[in-house]
Amino acid sequence: MRKPLSILPIVFFASILAACSTPKDLSDPVTQEEMQGIYEEVRTPVKHGLVVTPENPDFKSDSPSVFRHKGKWYMTWIVFDGKGYETWLSESDDLLHWNTLGKVLSYTNDSWDKFQRAGYAALQDLEWGGSYKLQKYAGKYWMSYLGGCNPGYETMPLMIGLASTDQLGKAVEWETLDKPVMSPKDEDCQWFEKNTQYKSCIIEDKDRITGHRFVIYYNANGTNPENGVTAERIGMAYSEDLKNWTRYENNPVVALETCGITGDPQIQKIGDLYVMFFFRAGNPARPYAAYNSFACSRDLVHWYEWEGEDLIYPTEPYDCVYAHKSHVVSWKGVTYHFYCAVDDKDRRGIAVATSK
């Protein structure tokens, strides 16, 4: 049974105080007691419904990235129109009402990514309740994206591309590189990503606790050589310049072998803990097809999963099939959980739930 909302702040801060009573080493596991406090802080029981949908009802919207720029909120989100993915931009004053501005990553005539250009904002301020601004590197704002040259719904192989702009908040085309920055064809490609790569999340490790400036988390499809299971799992890699990446040797970092998909990571820092929001689909231990949950880490490498109630899962007609793919922000004491909602007619849009 859910706890009454009136006691949630008390429960949260009591859990945080208990967790902080003994200093923690970066190598220490994150306990379920600590994660209980995180859960109470990030839970969003109030669903508001769809807030962003394509103008064409036959198209499908997906994968929100929400950030703040010059006093406004912006969301990049992707649209599948039957041919492939393009990335769009919307703006908002209150995180609930959104106005679509236009495309920022469109199809091209002839490139390695001409039919798949699904973008995700990079280098966001990680602090929970912080600015949620995108940080510049080399004088530009950045976005990683799922890219590929084959038409269709996520047609393999998909790779990770990099885009940049100096005109954030405008519906202008971002500049892209002439080749992917990570690919299943790379010489150092690992078993979990041999088939294809999907959504990515790039953060800056300002404290260099990983020993590197930039870290990318990404889900990919591959077959485990130990058990023969083909699934999506989340791995990580490091970079000093956003363009050259070195895989973490012990990938994947978040996975469930009995589950078809573990994917779409988003990172925030709450207190002394890093929190990874992610989704799962096809978990035989759940009565629903897809849901959002989280894991916690002290060092950005070793992740411990929350074992309690899922954050978002199907409960409404508009998300009765899938409620998944998180982007979570905390603003002025309210938590906003944006996610992809899919109904029983396969209509797909961006929904939001809040903490109160």
Side-chain angles (χ1 to χ4, degrees), residues 292-350:
N292 290 337
S293 189
F294 69 94
C296 293
S297 175
R298 302 187 200 282
D299 62 3
L300 289 171
V301 177
H302 301 91
W303 294 90
Y304 301 88
E305 294 187 33
W306 166 243
E307 297 174 357
E309 186 173 359
D310 302 320
L311 295 178
I312 295 287
Y313 50 89
T315 60
E316 308 298 328
Y318 57 84
D319 67 8
C320 62
V321 176
Y322 295 110
H324 62 335
K325 303 185 178 182
S326 298
H327 196 97
V328 186
V329 302
S330 174
W331 189 249
K332 295 183 177 180
V334 179
T335 302
Y336 298 80
H337 190 142
F338 296 89
Y339 66 100
C340 176
V342 185
D343 68 11
D344 57 3
K345 293 181 175 60
D346 199 30
R347 291 175 295 200
R348 185 175 291 241
I350 307 301

Side-chain angles (χ1 to χ4, degrees), residues 26-137:
L26 289 180
S27 61
D28 288 345
V30 181
T31 67
Q32 290 296 309
E33 180 183 16
E34 291 175 274
M35 283 188 271
Q36 179 69 44
I38 298 296
Y39 170 76
E40 300 295 355
E41 174 71 3
V42 304
R43 65 190 294 270
T44 51
V46 184
K47 289 187 175 181
H48 294 266
L50 298 173
V51 293
V52 175
T53 58
E55 291 184 4
N56 188 326
D58 294 328
F59 294 174
K60 306 178 191 304
S61 56
D62 211 335
S63 298
S65 291
V66 178
F67 59 91
R68 192 162 175 82
H69 180 65
K70 294 184 176 180
K72 278 187 173 290
W73 292 98
Y74 293 90
M75 178 195 299
T76 60
W77 48 289
I78 64 178
V79 173
F80 177 72
D81 62 1
K83 183 169 60 176
Y85 278 137
E86 294 181 299
T87 304
W88 290 66
L89 181 71
S90 293
E91 68 175 2
S92 174
D93 292 320
D94 62 3
L95 289 166
L96 295 177
H97 303 88
W98 292 86
N99 175 48
T100 297
L101 301 179
K103 299 177 186 178
V104 294
L105 284 178
S106 305
Y107 298 134
T108 68
N109 292 326
D110 186 19
S111 65
W112 71 270
D113 57 351
K114 64 179 180 179
F115 284 122
Q116 309 291 342
R117 309 187 94 212
Y120 321 105
L123 304 184
Q124 187 167 37
D125 176 13
L126 298 181
E127 201 66 32
W128 183 250
S131 71
Y132 290 99
K133 294 179 180 179
L134 303 187
Q135 312 302 308
K136 282 186 175 181
Y137 169 69

Side-chain angles (χ1 to χ4, degrees), residues 91-323:
E91 68 175 2
S92 174
D93 292 320
D94 62 3
L95 289 166
L96 295 177
H97 303 88
W98 292 86
N99 175 48
T100 297
L101 301 179
K103 299 177 186 178
V104 294
L105 284 178
S106 305
Y107 298 134
T108 68
N109 292 326
D110 186 19
S111 65
W112 71 270
D113 57 351
K114 64 179 180 179
F115 284 122
Q116 309 291 342
R117 309 187 94 212
Y120 321 105
L123 304 184
Q124 187 167 37
D125 176 13
L126 298 181
E127 201 66 32
W128 183 250
S131 71
Y132 290 99
K133 294 179 180 179
L134 303 187
Q135 312 302 308
K136 282 186 175 181
Y137 169 69
K140 295 183 178 181
Y141 299 100
W142 298 85
M143 177 171 18
S144 60
Y145 67 97
L146 170 161
C149 63
N150 297 319
Y153 185 73
E154 299 182 353
T155 306
M156 297 183 186
L158 299 170
M159 294 154 275
I160 296 174
L162 191 65
S164 63
T165 188
D166 57 7
Q167 300 185 64
L168 193 65
K170 297 181 180 179
V172 297
E173 288 292 321
W174 288 43
E175 297 179 4
T176 58
L177 304 181
D178 59 3
K179 62 180 181 180
V181 295
M182 295 186 73
S183 167
K185 300 176 183 178
D186 293 340
E187 290 185 4
D188 61 346
C189 178
Q190 297 171 332
W191 64 264
F192 82 99
E193 55 182 331
K194 286 282 188 182
N195 293 334
T196 201
Q197 297 164 336
Y198 292 105
K199 184 179 178 180
S200 51
C201 172
I202 299 178
I203 67 169
E204 182 176 7
D205 179 7
K206 292 185 176 181
D207 295 327
R208 302 298 195 277
I209 62 176
T210 62
H212 303 274
R213 181 169 183 180
F214 302 114
V215 184
I216 188 171
Y217 298 92
Y218 61 106
N219 54 301
N221 183 288
T223 302
N224 190 330
E226 295 184 357
N227 57 24
V229 173
T230 300
E232 286 184 40
R233 308 165 180 89
I234 297 173
M236 64 183 292
Y238 311 115
S239 177
E240 307 307 323
D241 62 3
L242 294 181
K243 297 179 181 179
N244 299 284
W245 294 90
T246 300
R247 273 105 165 153
Y248 171 56
E249 61 183 6
N250 293 321
N251 276 327
V253 294
V254 181
L256 181 64
E257 293 303 289
T258 59
C259 181
I261 299 176
T262 300
D264 288 32
Q266 181 217 352
I267 309 296
Q268 297 251 304
K269 189 177 184 184
I270 303 179
D272 293 331
L273 294 177
Y274 292 94
V275 180
M276 178 191 292
F277 298 98
F278 65 91
F279 88 93
R280 282 222 164 96
N283 185 353
R286 295 293 190 275
Y288 29 81
Y291 60 96
N292 290 337
S293 189
F294 69 94
C296 293
S297 175
R298 302 187 200 282
D299 62 3
L300 289 171
V301 177
H302 301 91
W303 294 90
Y304 301 88
E305 294 187 33
W306 166 243
E307 297 174 357
E309 186 173 359
D310 302 320
L311 295 178
I312 295 287
Y313 50 89
T315 60
E316 308 298 328
Y318 57 84
D319 67 8
C320 62
V321 176
Y322 295 110

